[in-house]
Amino acid sequence: AQSVTQPDIHITVSEGASLELRCNYSYGATPYLFWYVQSPGQGLQLLLKYFSGDTLVQGIKGFEAEFKRSQSSFNLRKPSVHWSDAAEYFCAVGAFNDYKLSFGAGTTVTVRA
Amino acid sequence: DSGVTQTPKHLITATGQRVTLRCSPRSGDLSVYWYQQSLDQGLQFLIQYYNGEERAKGNILERFSAQQFPDLHSELNLSSLELGDSALYFCASSVGISDRGDEQFFGPGTRLTVL
């Protein structure tokens, strides 16, 4: 069964600083990988996805993620964080012929001025 | 706005009661998914419907059931409610059946509080 680990429960970053959120997955075949963001009281919004091809994926709001098969990782990055990026971020994995998404526990990002 | 709508936004009820959560998928999407988000379990997949038929089942309790209607909206029925059922319930939709990685679009959720 597939699983997702987000090692960092909470990250605090200064506005303008870079951000990296870690995600490790466990799955036998090539996974489909997603990053979602959830602002307080809101639903989940898709930031970016990886299905195949180029391992560096660009998303919305200036985010990018890199798929590293050798490390079973799909880390999310943003070069310069804005106060509006304060939210909870979820990594999720899906797979061919497996309809559900398995989510990590989430990482809460706090942005300080 | 993802285009997925869920009603009601909040629901407060008592133990032992039954409630129905409603979801309308994005226009053109045939698949509907239900997820439960709780503090102790995180985001858990419950069930998926595709064009009116159940396609996949996750950690859904027997007290819970769902269906998808001909107009593609879906309802999640929760019965004999317990305190532990208090959670945020999300509906998501996608074009296909996600076996090829269709992205899922999430609704705003229904917050259920069981007292």
Side-chain angles (χ1 to χ4, degrees):
Chain A
Q2 60 226 41
S3 66
V4 181
T5 303
Q6 293 180 246
D8 304 304
I9 296 173
H10 191 189
I11 285 181
T12 298
V13 60
S14 298
E15 192 168 14
S18 64
L19 173 69
E20 181 166 14
L21 304 182
R22 295 183 291 164
C23 172
N24 294 98
Y25 68 90
S26 172
Y27 188 67
T30 299
Y32 302 133
L33 294 158
F34 306 83
W35 273 100
Y36 283 86
V37 61
Q38 184 180 24
S39 298
Q42 304 293 316
L44 283 83
Q45 181 183 22
L46 181 69
L47 285 175
L48 45 78
K49 61 192 178 190
Y50 171 79
F51 291 164
S52 63
D54 194 348
T55 57
L56 186 61
V57 179
Q58 301 297 321
I60 63 170
K61 304 186 180 190
F63 285 93
E64 67 177 25
E66 187 171 12
F67 172 60
K68 292 186 177 178
R69 185 190 304 275
S70 62
Q71 297 175 21
S72 297
S73 69
F74 188 58
N75 295 347
L76 181 72
R77 298 192 294 252
K78 184 167 184 177
S80 178
V81 167
H82 186 261
W83 64 266
S84 60
D85 294 321
E88 190 161 18
Y89 293 79
F90 292 92
C91 181
V93 62
F96 181 79
N97 261 343
D98 191 342
Y99 310 110
K100 70 178 186 295
L101 289 179
S102 295
F103 284 87
T107 299
T108 299
V109 173
T110 298
V111 180
R112 60 179 175 226
Chain B
D1 186 355
S2 66
V4 179
T5 60
Q6 290 187 248
T7 56
K9 207 166 182 177
H10 301 278
L11 203 45
I12 301 174
T13 188
T15 54
Q17 295 299 304
R18 172 191 169 94
V19 296
T20 297
L21 282 52
R22 182 188 168 102
C23 167
S24 293
R26 292 188 323 154
S27 177
D29 284 358
L30 298 179
S31 271
V32 169
Y33 310 78
W34 287 97
Y35 291 85
Q36 179 194 58
Q37 185 180 35
S38 62
L39 283 174
D40 53 342
Q41 297 288 326
L43 261 165
Q44 299 274 320
F45 168 74
L46 295 179
I47 197 164
Q48 181 215 359
Y49 279 81
Y50 175 73
N51 206 19
E53 292 189 7
E54 182 185 308
R55 291 304 293 259
K57 233 173 182 176
N59 300 323
I60 187 165
L61 300 171
E62 283 193 16
R63 301 183 285 108
F64 296 1
S65 65
Q67 55 184 326
Q68 186 180 27
F69 295 86
D71 67 352
L72 300 177
H73 91 272
S74 177
E75 292 180 358
L76 179 67
N77 300 295
L78 316 176
S79 61
S80 302
L81 286 167
E82 302 174 359
L83 295 178
D85 298 327
S86 296
L88 194 51
Y89 291 84
F90 285 111
C91 170
S93 72
S94 71
V95 172
I97 54 176
S98 278
D99 61 341
R100 284 166 176 75
D102 288 347
E103 63 184 82
Q104 296 179 24
F105 294 86
F106 282 75
T110 293
R111 182 166 294 283
L112 173 66
T113 303
V114 182
L115 301 175

